[in-house]
Every structure is written in structure tokens, then in C-alpha cells.
Amino acid sequence: MGDTVAPKHALHVLYSFPEAFGGPGAGEIAWHQVHELVRAGHHVTLVAGSVERPVPRLRGLEETLVIGGRRVPHGTIGRTRAYSWHDFRAAAMVRRGTFDVVHGWPLASARTLAAARARGIPGLREVPGTHPAHAFDVVGREYARLGLAVPHAWSHHFDGERLVIEDREYAAAHALLVPSDVVAETFLVRGFDGSRLLRHQYGFDQRSIRVSIRGDATRPFTAVYLGRCEPRKGLHHALDAWLASKASATGRFLIYGSFSPAYRALLADKLAHPSVDVRGFVERSGRAYAQADILLLPSLEEGSALVTYEAQGAGVIPLVSRASGAMVEHAVNGLIHGPGDVAMLSSQIDLMYESARWRRALRDGALAKAPSLTWAAANIELVAAYREAIGAMNSQLRTARPSDLQVGP
């Protein structure tokens, strides 16, 4: 894909990400956001913990956890100190630079966002998941129901200090960037002003996710699950729905991802079913979609799962819960069920299994939606959110008293 023409009014963006930029998970989201901003002609100064995958033509780069060309692991100084140091360095760059907007990530942006506000720059905080209090509650209840303990080191283990830090960031931010209505709802119910929730979206990479020709009549009907194999993503519900469906008699359910030992032991009997094939982590997800008719993702808590974007780009029909944050319209480009509604999901699997007409219709719907789900399309939404925030901040500055611009420590 060639570079796009620079916009008439290019933005100067300070983008702060405290982890390995371009690494798996959030690092991938951050990389695509910055890559598309630069590709569209905007000027990005990146402050990252370290860079695993570079983006050419950045305006500036600061790696806060790299000394002498070597990355300092978070464990060396502790994650909290590493994030605090990153925030300190990013805030210093805001104070001495010239930017139109500042974009920060969780747990490492309170000072950075406060510095932006002090200079009259809109500071936007990425919100990749639901409100942490909501996430802690949903995940904790499901683990308890299954008789499992939430891993202590995991981000969804209850952490009161994290709630305090995130609340500081929410207060310091001009607005919050939310990738789905599901995420927005968890903030609205906690009293957040809807005008401070700026909707954008994530995307998929057209270079790695391609539409496969599924003309092999001998290939069995195939469902696929991709992601961490954990209660939060509802894999146990996916297995129950699959095994209760007619599809499990002759079809196959491919599971890509890593398990915790306790969760795998809990599901051992179901995983041993002849129609279920556990394949482990896959580095190139496009290969998994190439074999599949449907994606199963019955999440109980999620921000906006990247696999739901990828599936549609590959022509795979997403069967997802409302909690997945998917860009899916029911019966148009996928099927939606309520979180935990195994019976509904099982009936939807059967519909896909038995009706070639429905499969064609929903696959066509997914492919028609796909162009609006790329990272390039996501960049249009992100830049629109930036410009909306800049306009709102400018309006505030025109009418504000000096005391209105002060923020707490």
C-alpha cells in the first residue's frame, strides 16, 4: 500500500505508550495507530517504553526504558516505577514541545495528561477495555463460579491501586478514547459525561488477513476460536455451545491460544471430544481464518476484540456476544448473543451449519463491512476524534477563567 497524500492541516501528535511498541496485544494496536497517522501525513512524536517494531518517518522518538541500546525489563525496577518514569519523561516532552494533541495509554499518563491540560492541549486517554471496576467484577464472578482463582499477576485480578491510578488519569484527560459502545456504557453507568467519551475503533491488517476461497466440498464445517484461552473470553461457553450443536457430529472446532493449567484441566473432557482440535498459539492468524466458516467469541468482558475485525476481513462469520465490542450488526454481518447464553449460541451454530443460504448472506455481509474495519479506516475515526477534541479544547480556552485550567497533583 502506498503512502497517502498529506492532509491540508496535518496534526502534531505526542503519542505515549509505556510498553514494547509493536509487541503483541496493546503494542500491536499502538503500532497500527501510529503507523497510519504517519502514513496519512501527520507528525508523530513517539514516547515508548521500547520499540519492538519501528515506524519510519516519526517526527521524534524517545524510548524511556532503553539504556545503552538495551531494553530494561519492567521486572528490574518494578512495573509501577517503570510506568511512573515513563509518564515523567513523556510529561517533560509535552512541556517543551509543540503539539496539537496528546494521546496516552493506561497507568502511565496522569502527569502527561495534566501537562497537556496546563498547556491548553487536549490530552486523550486510550481506553482499550471496559471500566476496570466493571472488568474486575465480571471476571471475578465468572472465575468464582467456575471454582478458579484469578491469577494474581494478571491485569484482571482486583487491584485497588490500579483503580486509583486510572481515576487520576480519567480526571486529568480532556476526553477518553473508547473503541466500542460496550466500553462507553461501562463509563456512562458510573456517571461519566458522555461528551468526554470519544468513539473510535480498531482494525485489521489487510496485508496479513486475506479472503480465502473455500471451494473444497470435502472440507468439514469449521468453527474457530483465537485468543487467550480463559474464562473472560468465554471459551467454556463456546465449547458447551459447540458440543450441544448438530455441527459437532461432523464438523470441527479449532482452538488457537494458550491455556492456564487450571482452566485446561477444568475443560479437559470437552477438549477431548473428537470434533475439538486444540492447536495452541498461532503467530499468523490469517492461516487459522483460512480454514474456518465461523468465529466463536462468547466474551463476558472485552474492549473491542481484534479477532472480530480480522474474521470479517477474511470472510469468516463472527458469532459473538454483545460483550465482545465487535463491529457487528446482528443478522447482517454476523450473529450476536447475550453473554453466557449458551443455548442461543448453539442454535446460531446450527443455523450456520445447516443453511448454506445464511452462510452466504452473512459472509457477504462481513466482506461488505470489512473495508470500514481496516486500520486505515480506524485512522480516519481516530483523527476525527482528535479534531473534535481540539475544537472542544479551543472553545473551552476562549471561555475559561484561569482557575478553570488548573489541575490537581
Side-chain angles (χ1 to χ4, degrees):
M1 293 184 291
D3 293 332
T4 57
V5 177
K8 183 176 181 180
H9 301 292
L11 299 177
H12 292 259
V13 182
L14 183 135
Y15 192 103
S16 174
F17 183 76
E19 295 277 357
F21 178 78
E28 178 186 355
I29 295 173
W31 186 90
H32 281 291
Q33 288 180 333
V34 170
H35 176 256
E36 292 297 337
L37 284 168
V38 172
R39 222 179 129 251
H42 300 288
H43 309 295
V44 181
T45 297
L46 173 65
V47 187
S50 62
V51 173
E52 188 167 312
R53 184 183 179 190
V55 169
R57 300 189 307 282
L58 289 171
R59 186 188 184 204
L61 172 63
E62 181 97 357
E63 292 180 280
T64 60
L65 288 177
V66 173
I67 299 177
R70 300 185 65 178
R71 183 173 186 265
V72 179
H74 284 130
T76 303
I77 59 175
R79 185 173 296 273
T80 300
R81 287 183 178 178
Y83 279 10
S84 181
W85 172 243
H86 175 91
D87 192 15
F88 176 82
R89 295 272 295 275
M93 293 190 71
V94 170
R95 285 190 287 269
R96 67 174 183 259
T98 302
F99 304 103
D100 298 305
V101 66
V102 171
H103 186 151
W105 275 73
L107 305 177
S109 61
R111 291 189 185 95
T112 304
L113 296 169
R117 176 167 295 201
R119 294 201 59 193
I121 303 168
L124 306 183
R125 163 59 151 73
E126 185 78 39
V127 184
T130 61
H131 190 285
H134 170 85
F136 291 152
D137 178 57
V138 171
V139 172
R141 282 190 284 110
E142 189 64 13
Y143 269 80
R145 189 183 71 82
L146 295 174
L148 299 174
V150 181
H152 187 75
W154 190 35
S155 62
H156 285 76
H157 184 280
F158 180 82
D159 184 345
E161 182 181 357
R162 176 182 168 182
L163 288 174
V164 171
I165 293 172
E166 297 222 23
D167 279 341
R168 287 176 184 161
E169 292 177 345
Y170 301 151
H174 170 77
L176 308 181
L177 291 165
V178 295
S180 68
D181 290 340
V182 169
V183 172
E185 287 166 9
T186 65
F187 283 82
L188 291 172
V189 299
R190 285 167 174 78
F192 281 73
D193 183 345
S195 67
R196 294 187 64 228
L197 305 178
L198 300 181
R199 271 298 314 272
H200 69 133
Q201 67 179 62
Y202 296 146
F204 75 93
D205 187 350
Q206 292 170 291
R207 294 168 296 183
S208 60
I209 304 297
R210 299 183 182 278
V211 181
S212 298
I213 305 301
R214 299 177 177 87
D216 184 1
T218 65
R219 182 183 63 83
F221 176 82
T222 302
V224 67
Y225 171 97
L226 290 96
R228 182 183 291 177
C229 299
E230 61 185 13
R232 169 177 165 257
K233 289 182 175 287
L235 177 57
H236 50 297
H237 292 317
L239 281 165
D240 287 343
W242 173 259
L243 296 177
S245 73
K246 298 173 185 176
S248 63
T250 60
R252 58 181 181 170
F253 181 18
L254 309 181
I255 299 174
Y256 293 89
S258 57
F259 285 83
S260 70
Y263 190 50
R264 183 159 192 156
L266 180 73
L267 302 178
D269 289 345
K270 297 168 186 175
L271 295 173
H273 190 274
S275 68
V276 177
D277 187 353
V278 180
R279 299 197 168 186
F281 175 76
V282 60
E283 191 165 312
R284 296 183 179 180
S285 56
R287 294 179 178 177
Y289 297 116
Q291 306 171 63
D293 297 288
I294 61 174
L295 168 76
L296 301 184
L297 190 68
S299 300
L300 300 174
E301 187 278 325
E302 194 96 50
S304 188
L306 298 187
V307 294
T308 64
Y309 294 81
E310 293 175 346
Q312 293 180 76
V316 174
I317 303 162
L319 274 59
V320 298
S321 78
R322 282 194 298 272
S324 69
M327 303 281 284
V328 170
E329 184 178 352
H330 183 66
V332 175
N333 57 322
L335 295 175
I336 300 174
H337 63 277
D341 192 342
V342 171
M344 177 60 73
L345 177 56
S346 187
S347 69
Q348 291 173 350
I349 295 171
D350 279 339
L351 176 62
M352 295 295 95
Y353 174 64
E354 296 180 315
S355 176
R357 181 177 66 84
W358 267 102
R359 285 200 305 275
R360 283 195 299 271
L362 293 185
R363 184 171 188 263
D364 288 347
L367 290 172
K369 180 72 173 177
S372 69
L373 301 179
T374 64
W375 281 111
N379 179 67
I380 294 172
E381 299 296 324
L382 181 61
V383 172
Y386 285 172
R387 294 196 188 280
E388 181 179 347
I390 292 167
M393 175 65 84
N394 289 341
S395 178
Q396 288 179 16
L397 291 174
R398 284 193 295 269
T399 59
R401 298 168 298 175
S403 60
D404 294 331
L405 302 180
Q406 301 300 313
V407 295

